[in-house]
Amino acid sequence: LAGGGFVARPAVGRFGPGVWDAYLELDLGGPPARFRIEAGAESVAGPRRWLLGTEPCVARPYATSNRGRLSAVVRRLSARALLKRIMR
C-alpha cells in the first residue's frame, strides 16, 4: 500500500482456538528473519465468524496495549453462547 503499509488476509477457518500472534517472515537466502507486525487499533479488522467442523468459531483481532502488535484470539462458541448472541 502507499506509504509502505501492507494488507494481510489469513486463511480464516484454519486457526484452532487460542491466541495467535502475527509475524512477517522474510527468507532472503540465509536463515529466515521474523518480525512482529505492529498495528494501530484503528487499522485492525473486526471479528470474523466461521464453522470449524460443526461448531461455530469467532476470531477477534486486536492490537496489544503495550506496543500495538497484531494478535488475535480464536474461540469456539458453545450452543449457549450462540443462543445469547442471537437473543441480543
Side-chain angles (χ1 to χ4, degrees):
L1 300 175
F6 65 94
V7 175
R9 291 183 180 86
V12 173
R14 299 177 81 183
F15 296 111
V19 177
W20 296 87
D21 297 321
Y23 290 91
L24 175 65
E25 188 171 295
L26 299 174
D27 185 3
L28 303 172
R34 261 179 122 180
F35 303 96
R36 293 284 311 253
I37 297 175
E38 294 185 12
E42 66 280 348
S43 64
V44 177
R48 299 280 190 257
R49 293 175 187 84
W50 72 92
L51 288 176
L52 185 62
T54 59
E55 295 181 320
C57 289
V58 63
R60 186 183 58 83
Y62 63 95
T64 60
S65 60
N66 55 355
R67 299 189 92 185
R69 294 181 171 161
L70 184 60
S71 294
V73 62
V74 177
R75 292 191 177 119
R76 290 182 188 212
L77 294 176
S78 66
R80 182 177 176 183
L82 187 61
L83 245 139
K84 279 185 178 181
R85 285 181 183 258
I86 292 171
M87 297 299 277
R88 283 188 204 167

